[in-house]
Amino acid sequence: MYLDSNLKHEVLSSILGEIVKPYDNQRCKTTTNILSVDDFHLHYLIGKRQAYVNEFFIDEKTFFDPQYDFDFTNLSDSAACMRGNELYERPKGWYRMALKVKGTYPDGDTWLGTNGWRSDSVPGEWPVSYHGTSLAGAKGIIRSHYKAGSGAVYGRGIYSTPVVRESEIYAKTFASETTGKSYKVILQNRINPEEREICPRSDYWLIRVAEGASTEEEKQIVRSSIRPYGILIKELKDDVESSRDDRGDDGSGGKYSSLLSAIKKMFK
């Protein structure tokens, strides 16, 4: 799968529900709305961004890390690997856009493990989890999926799952104006095993966020507990499944179709 810059911006726009444009220092007069990976992380997970912001800019050189992109779409085998001493099923059928997270956190990069293909864990790395990016469209057991909301079944906090197929239930879907195709999007994370709770339904994991936690406390919990390092995208082949894009998978009456139409005009 080939992802050009326009499609990458469409993917981010679909996740955030806001227009994401390429940053150009020749044309952009302000850096206020430049979206770093950390901003993206916090804005999506806990929604802590200025309420008046309705568009963002990204510098692809500092946001994405293409050397770690990986095309799983035609993976011949999905043999289980170990990450953080826990089984990790590679996301067969998906393409990963890697986020530039190396060197981002004060505790170093041990949580990511070592580079290169391997089937075993290395000391100190965190297990892999996934989450779909659709909140209002969630149809399963978790109603506040990945948001620090109050309506979750097993407690207030941030939910994810180690099962890629389970996260697909909550995937964001959108129709691309760039390619004319429809896609699903989920995020690939590493999760701190010391902070994670395994729910009674063991294919869900919870990072607990106490009721009444301040914004700064929530940010600290997020940064120290669960870290997206890749955006996974899959082309939809099923016309019935793709038809959800006409109304928006969150029941918003085509909010994202309208959003992406606006993006198409920007790039003309």
Side-chain angles (χ1 to χ4, degrees):
M1 181 186 295
Y2 172 71
L3 280 75
D4 69 4
S5 292
N6 289 0
L7 183 54
K8 287 182 177 181
H9 288 90
E10 287 184 311
V11 170
L12 291 173
S13 297
S14 73
I15 293 172
L16 294 177
E18 309 289 355
I19 293 173
V20 177
K21 302 177 183 179
Y23 174 70
D24 180 346
N25 59 10
Q26 299 299 315
R27 292 185 299 169
C28 299
K29 304 302 182 183
T30 177
T31 59
T32 302
N33 295 351
I34 294 180
L35 192 68
S36 67
V37 172
D38 188 54
D39 289 334
F40 167 76
H41 184 188
L42 296 174
H43 176 65
Y44 184 72
L45 271 62
I46 57 179
K48 301 303 181 184
R49 186 77 186 189
Q50 301 98 317
Y52 63 84
V53 173
N54 58 12
E55 66 179 15
F56 299 95
F57 300 95
I58 66 161
D59 182 345
E60 287 192 28
K61 293 179 181 178
T62 61
F63 195 90
F64 294 111
D65 203 352
Q67 64 178 314
Y68 298 111
D69 286 1
F70 197 90
D71 191 350
F72 297 96
T73 54
N74 297 311
L75 193 68
S76 59
D77 90 68
S78 56
C81 305
M82 298 290 287
R83 296 291 184 268
N85 293 319
E86 299 199 28
L87 286 174
Y88 154 57
E89 184 180 5
R90 302 171 80 195
K92 183 178 180 180
W94 297 82
Y95 183 95
R96 181 176 68 214
M97 296 187 295
L99 301 175
K100 186 161 281 188
V101 293
K102 294 194 74 172
T104 300
Y105 298 96
D107 55 355
D109 297 325
T110 304
W111 61 280
L112 282 168
T114 55
N115 297 340
W117 162 247
R118 56 192 168 83
S119 59
D120 296 324
S121 294
V122 297
E125 75 175 327
W126 294 1
V128 171
S129 74
Y130 303 96
H131 75 93
T133 61
S134 172
L135 302 180
K139 294 175 288 187
I141 190 169
I142 304 300
R143 295 299 181 185
S144 293
H145 195 57
Y146 213 70
K147 286 277 190 179
S150 59
V153 173
Y154 299 126
R156 184 178 188 273
I158 301 166
Y159 287 86
S160 63
T161 173
V163 183
V164 66
R165 295 180 302 278
E166 187 66 24
S167 69
E168 194 168 352
I169 296 171
Y170 305 95
K172 176 72 68 182
T173 63
F174 74 97
S176 169
E177 297 286 353
T178 299
T179 66
K181 300 176 181 179
S182 294
Y183 300 90
K184 286 184 175 182
V185 182
I186 60 177
L187 297 191
Q188 186 176 30
N189 322 284
R190 294 298 185 99
I191 188 166
N192 188 337
E194 296 182 1
E195 302 292 336
R196 168 207 59 184
E197 297 178 23
I198 298 176
C199 297
R201 178 175 167 172
S202 60
D203 54 354
Y204 282 94
W205 293 345
L206 169 64
I207 298 297
R208 193 170 295 278
V209 179
E211 190 73 44
S214 69
T215 296
E216 289 307 312
E217 288 171 334
E218 287 190 348
K219 287 180 178 179
Q220 181 55 38
I221 290 169
V222 166
R223 289 187 176 115
S224 64
S225 302
I226 186 164
R227 298 170 179 173
Y229 68 104
I231 299 173
L232 298 178
I233 181 170
K234 177 195 281 190
E235 182 183 334
L236 291 178
K237 304 292 187 181
D238 187 332
D239 290 338
V240 174
E241 189 174 23
S242 299
S243 67
R244 290 185 300 168
D245 303 324
D246 294 335
R247 59 177 170 79
D249 70 341
D250 61 351
S252 62
K255 170 183 176 183
Y256 295 106
S257 294
S258 299
L259 175 67
L260 295 175
S261 294
I263 294 170
K264 181 181 180 182
K265 292 178 182 177
M266 287 191 311
F267 290 120
K268 281 184 176 180

